[in-house]
Amino acid sequence: EVHLVESGGGLIQAGGSLRLSCTASGFTFDDDDYVIGWFRQAPGKEREAVSCISTYDRETDYADSVKGRFTISSDNAKNTVYLQMNSLKPEDTAVYYCAADKGTIPVMIPGIYDYWGQGTQVTVSA
């Protein structure tokens, strides 16, 4: 069974940096083709895609709102995906979720992902 556990959220001032981690179990990055995505949901708003990466070839994709500020990466030895978030803005405040789906092509659509973590809160103060 696939499980995803996020960590690394917190309270940070605008302009600061955070690194989120998503550790997966139930499959391995080396042997299985999965797409791992980061999504976020702010109060009163719909869940939106932030970034995703393929364990097949490490192809990545980003939302326009985070391009140049956020970087997604993976560590196969740790079965973990990271989201490095720099130059954080108050509008980045949200619960950030990690999600996984079998496949090779990163897709920025929350509805296609079958497995979700519990989420981690990121709060950016002005």
Side-chain angles (χ1 to χ4, degrees), residues 35 41 51 57 89:
V35 176
Q41 188 165 19
S51 182
D57 58 4
K89 305 175 182 180

Side-chain angles (χ1 to χ4, degrees), residues 22-125:
C22 172
T23 300
S25 59
F27 66 95
T28 62
F29 290 10
D30 281 334
D31 297 328
D32 301 300
D33 295 333
Y34 274 76
V35 176
I36 314 294
W38 284 101
F39 300 84
R40 66 187 182 186
Q41 188 165 19
K45 294 189 177 181
E46 292 188 355
R47 190 168 298 188
E48 63 174 356
V50 175
S51 182
C52 53
I53 187 168
S54 168
T55 64
Y56 173 68
D57 58 4
R58 297 191 179 184
E59 180 181 353
T60 61
D61 199 0
Y62 295 91
D64 288 343
S65 59
V66 306
K67 281 180 181 176
R69 300 189 298 123
F70 292 10
T71 303
I72 193 169
S73 62
S74 61
D75 184 333
N76 284 20
K78 296 183 178 180
N79 235 45
T80 297
V81 169
Y82 302 100
L83 185 69
Q84 178 66 43
M85 306 186 295
N86 298 330
S87 303
L88 282 161
K89 305 175 182 180
E91 50 264 45
D92 295 318
T93 295
V95 177
Y96 282 70
Y97 297 90
C98 171
D101 189 57
K102 293 202 72 171
T104 59
I105 300 174
V107 178
M108 300 278 279
I109 302 173
I112 72 140
Y113 286 78
D114 289 331
Y115 307 102
W116 290 82
Q118 82 286 352
T120 184
Q121 176 71 46
V122 172
T123 303
V124 185
S125 62

